Amino acid sequence: MTSAPTQRPAACVLGTVPGTGFEGQRIGIVELDSAGQEIDRIDLAEADLPDFVRDREDGAGGDPSEPGGARPRWVLSDTAKWCPPLLAARASLERCHDLRLAHAILARSELVTAPEAVRAASEWDAAPADAAAPEQAAALFDVDAGRGFIPQVPHDLEPALAEHARQTAAIETASDPGRLRLLLAAESAGGLVAAEMRAAGVPWDEAEHDRILTELLGPRPIRDGKPQKMLSKAEEVRAALEDPRVNLDSPNRLLASLRNAGINVASTSKWELQTSEHPAIAPLLEYKKMARLLSANGWHWLDEWVDDGRYRPVYVPGGVVTGRWAASGGGALQIPRQLRPALRADEGWRLVSADVAQLEPRALAAMSGDRAMAAAGFGRDLYSGLVDAGVVATRQEAKIAVLGAMYGSTTGEAGALVPRLRQNFPAAMHLVDSAAEAGRQGGVVSTWLGRTSPPPGEGWQRLQRAANRFDATGADEQRARRAAGDQGRFTRNFVVQGTAAEWALAWLADLRLRLARLPEVEETSEAAASGPVFSRRAHLVFFLHDEVIVHAPTEQAEEAAEAIRAAAASAGRLLFGAAPVDFPLDLSIGERAIKD
């Protein structure tokens, strides 16, 4: 066991010893005091790192006001790389600073007044996979990248020290260092949560999953064949199209068959097909739904991603440019509703599920200071509050209007309803309208804590230049206006979605620490699958934008529920102070995580 230092370090920078690689035998550690000055350098075998971590974590009292009471902040090149072996050895970190995640924020944030040094360290670039073309609206709304895009960054000690110094300087000279520190702490805590949720896994009932698939698709087919119910549904479609040989899985051949049957559609998308009343459409839509379930979460998915009663997806914190998470494996952000019954707690445990009602509109009300909008949702459903306030006639209209305001809808029902919001909630609408105008002009916008949107790409700039040429055609101008409008919708929602993501990160970070303070219980054989850190106490197992699921011993389920509520209230105060906005939760405790 490594002896405790005479001066408790404020931070510990970890890195591999050059030449040994991440899976090598030596780990270098530099301990820093609260002023960032070096206290000590330590070189130890990789196998000894868990003991060192436990020594530094357990040796502190946890009370920052007491001498030596605060646990150190661990400075890691990439939490996703360092945490798994530590968790497997029953060593967990209370706090960390993830250099990879922080670099992506600091290199772009408007709050950083001197970003040159951080930006020049291109070896630390780890932008989200969907940030390459920010002018494309799909980049903002991609909830599961599915690309496995997690760039490699340096893991050796000296590069980590140099990047830490660059980031520290960038924060200290920022126009609002307090907001940036809060954002980076929340982002890094998210990295810890993602690693821990993968280690613990989601309790998963494989038999129930198989039962659901069998009920919806038919029994599991041999090899790569299609289940019987899908085959029967395909025959219904072929009979209705009077084309017994059409391949329903080939968009081109299916489109040709549809047109031959007199179904005049431009594509085989669900939205196109729903415009036709031909008898082939209903069974075709059912078949496509079956095919999606089989492909995304069928038996092959079950074999690949569920083991020993645990589903272990790969989360990517900050994987979307707004700060929302993505998933690079397992599709955690796209689990279909019909599979929710397969989320089942261990015997003697419960799943505590909670999601926030209208998180993004509430974040908009708080950041804009729009008291009328805050009052409409305080202590109740915000959409119903808009009806009660006489802004719209129905809850559905309220939902359409609010989403239209945040996503920039200008046509249809949303286009007709949004002006009512502009009249009743001028501060909120001014904020998103201003963000949209900045985007249309090629500018950038920032979230509440300082995450900044990527600037328009070269393709966008080229379209604008072409429209401004003396010989520009009407088509050039139309393309430029369309691109400007797309960028405006992107920035309009960026500030709202990104700020909501910051609230969610603060919620996660606070909840994680509250759960860690609950006492351990006796481990059961079934709970052992959660790993040595989480098999004896309540822990997070699932996160989706505005929803969390905690796996808790039955006797701690109510305490876990209270921790979820308290963390939500704390996150609101942390970000927005005394703003009159609340974040009510829909919370349930049960054996299975079934969401209505």
Side-chain angles (χ1 to χ4, degrees), residues 78-92:
D78 186 349
T79 305
K81 298 294 184 182
W82 286 93
C83 270
L86 291 173
L87 292 170
R90 207 170 192 272
S92 59

Side-chain angles (χ1 to χ4, degrees), residues 12-15 22-23 27 29 44-57 74-96 192 195-196 199-200 512 530-534 537:
C12 294
V13 184
L14 300 188
F22 189 80
E23 300 297 331
I27 301 295
I29 302 164
L44 44 75
E46 183 182 3
D48 294 333
L49 181 60
D51 283 342
F52 179 88
V53 168
R54 281 191 294 268
D55 177 67
R56 294 298 184 261
E57 289 281 337
W74 301 88
V75 180
L76 310 175
S77 55
D78 186 349
T79 305
K81 298 294 184 182
W82 286 93
C83 270
L86 291 173
L87 292 170
R90 207 170 192 272
S92 59
L93 313 179
E94 182 180 79
R95 303 180 301 159
C96 85
L192 287 172
E196 291 173 354
R512 172 181 175 270
S530 294
V533 174
F534 304 110
R537 64 172 175 85

Side-chain angles (χ1 to χ4, degrees), residues 9-197:
C12 294
V13 184
L14 300 188
T16 54
V17 174
T20 63
F22 189 80
E23 300 297 331
Q25 298 182 349
R26 309 303 300 177
I27 301 295
I29 302 164
V30 172
E31 296 187 324
L32 306 175
D33 64 17
S34 58
Q37 299 301 307
E38 186 173 320
I39 299 173
D40 195 11
R41 284 191 176 233
I42 300 160
D43 184 297
L44 44 75
E46 183 182 3
D48 294 333
L49 181 60
D51 283 342
F52 179 88
V53 168
R54 281 191 294 268
D55 177 67
R56 294 298 184 261
E57 289 281 337
D58 297 342
D63 184 354
S65 65
E66 296 295 328
R71 295 182 172 90
R73 188 178 299 277
W74 301 88
V75 180
L76 310 175
S77 55
D78 186 349
T79 305
K81 298 294 184 182
W82 286 93
C83 270
L86 291 173
L87 292 170
R90 207 170 192 272
S92 59
L93 313 179
E94 182 180 79
R95 303 180 301 159
C96 85
H97 177 88
D98 187 305
L99 293 170
R100 180 176 71 84
L101 294 174
H103 180 94
I105 292 172
L106 294 173
R108 185 180 292 151
S109 177
E110 287 183 298
L111 300 184
V112 176
T113 59
E116 294 79 13
V118 173
R119 290 177 180 172
S122 58
E123 68 273 22
W124 290 91
D125 286 347
D130 58 5
E135 64 269 31
Q136 296 178 2
L140 183 61
F141 311 122
D142 184 10
V143 295
D144 189 343
R147 306 179 184 94
F149 184 87
I150 306 178
Q152 290 298 306
V153 294
H155 297 302
D156 285 350
L157 179 60
E158 292 305 322
L161 284 169
E163 177 63 13
H164 183 241
R166 286 188 291 268
Q167 293 188 11
T168 300
I171 296 167
E172 290 176 347
T173 59
S175 60
D176 195 335
R179 286 185 187 242
L180 267 184
R181 288 192 181 99
L182 181 53
L183 174 56
L184 298 180
E187 187 87 341
S188 296
L192 287 172
V193 170
E196 291 173 354
M197 287 198 300

Side-chain angles (χ1 to χ4, degrees), residues 146-481:
R147 306 179 184 94
F149 184 87
I150 306 178
Q152 290 298 306
V153 294
H155 297 302
D156 285 350
L157 179 60
E158 292 305 322
L161 284 169
E163 177 63 13
H164 183 241
R166 286 188 291 268
Q167 293 188 11
T168 300
I171 296 167
E172 290 176 347
T173 59
S175 60
D176 195 335
R179 286 185 187 242
L180 267 184
R181 288 192 181 99
L182 181 53
L183 174 56
L184 298 180
E187 187 87 341
S188 296
L192 287 172
V193 170
E196 291 173 354
M197 287 198 300
R198 177 160 173 75
V202 185
W204 200 265
D205 187 339
E206 297 175 63
E208 177 66 8
H209 189 143
D210 177 75
R211 185 198 67 76
I212 293 169
L213 292 177
T214 301
E215 177 182 325
L216 296 175
L217 307 178
R220 181 172 187 169
I222 298 174
R223 298 187 182 89
D224 294 323
K226 288 186 172 62
Q228 186 57 49
K229 288 189 176 182
M230 275 189 70
L231 294 174
S232 298
K233 191 62 63 177
E235 288 306 313
E236 284 186 47
V237 177
R238 294 187 181 105
L241 292 175
E242 298 182 359
D243 186 349
R245 302 178 64 84
V246 62
N247 181 356
L248 303 187
D249 301 318
S250 169
N252 290 336
R253 293 180 182 179
L254 175 58
L255 185 59
S257 183
L258 290 168
R259 289 172 174 170
N260 288 338
I263 305 172
N264 217 2
V265 290
S267 73
T268 61
S269 72
K270 174 183 175 182
W271 315 111
E272 282 272 350
L273 294 174
Q274 286 178 330
T275 62
S276 171
E277 297 181 359
H278 191 281
I281 297 301
L284 176 56
L285 291 175
E286 289 181 43
Y287 175 87
K288 288 168 74 72
K289 185 177 180 180
M290 290 178 171
R292 282 194 300 272
L293 177 60
L294 179 65
S295 173
N297 300 101
W299 289 279
H300 288 304
W301 180 92
L302 191 58
D303 293 341
E304 182 177 1
W305 291 102
V306 180
D307 182 56
D308 196 21
R310 292 294 186 272
Y311 159 46
R312 304 181 194 275
V314 181
Y315 289 101
V316 183
V320 177
V321 292
T322 58
R324 272 190 170 187
W325 288 17
S328 68
L333 308 184
Q334 292 182 328
I335 296 298
R337 187 183 302 270
Q338 60 260 47
L339 286 182
R340 280 297 182 115
L343 279 73
R344 186 203 64 182
D346 293 338
E347 185 176 352
W349 290 60
R350 289 294 181 267
L351 294 176
V352 187
S353 307
D355 61 89
V356 190
Q358 303 100 32
L359 172 57
E360 290 186 2
R362 293 175 191 277
L364 172 58
M367 67 192 299
S368 66
D370 196 312
R371 291 185 171 271
M373 190 172 187
F378 195 83
R380 58 179 171 176
D381 177 80
L382 185 144
Y383 297 141
S384 298
L386 265 61
V387 176
D388 295 341
V391 179
V392 291
T394 67
R395 187 181 185 280
Q396 180 62 17
E397 281 189 353
K399 185 174 182 179
I400 291 171
V402 170
L403 293 178
M406 293 190 300
Y407 288 86
S409 298
T410 58
T411 60
E413 190 173 4
L417 293 170
V418 167
R420 302 186 195 178
L421 298 188
R422 190 166 283 112
Q423 179 180 357
N424 287 271
F425 308 125
M429 291 303 299
H430 176 72
L431 188 149
V432 291
D433 287 344
S434 297
E437 182 59 25
R440 282 193 292 269
Q441 297 298 323
V444 297
V445 296
S446 293
T447 60
W448 185 247
L449 294 183
R451 191 189 303 269
T452 299
S453 65
E458 176 55 32
W460 188 93
Q461 301 286 357
R462 188 167 51 250
L463 289 175
Q464 305 308 313
R465 288 195 298 269
N468 288 324
R469 286 172 55 92
F470 74 92
D471 57 349
T473 65
D476 291 332
E477 294 173 353
Q478 184 178 17
R479 283 192 290 268
R481 282 195 298 270

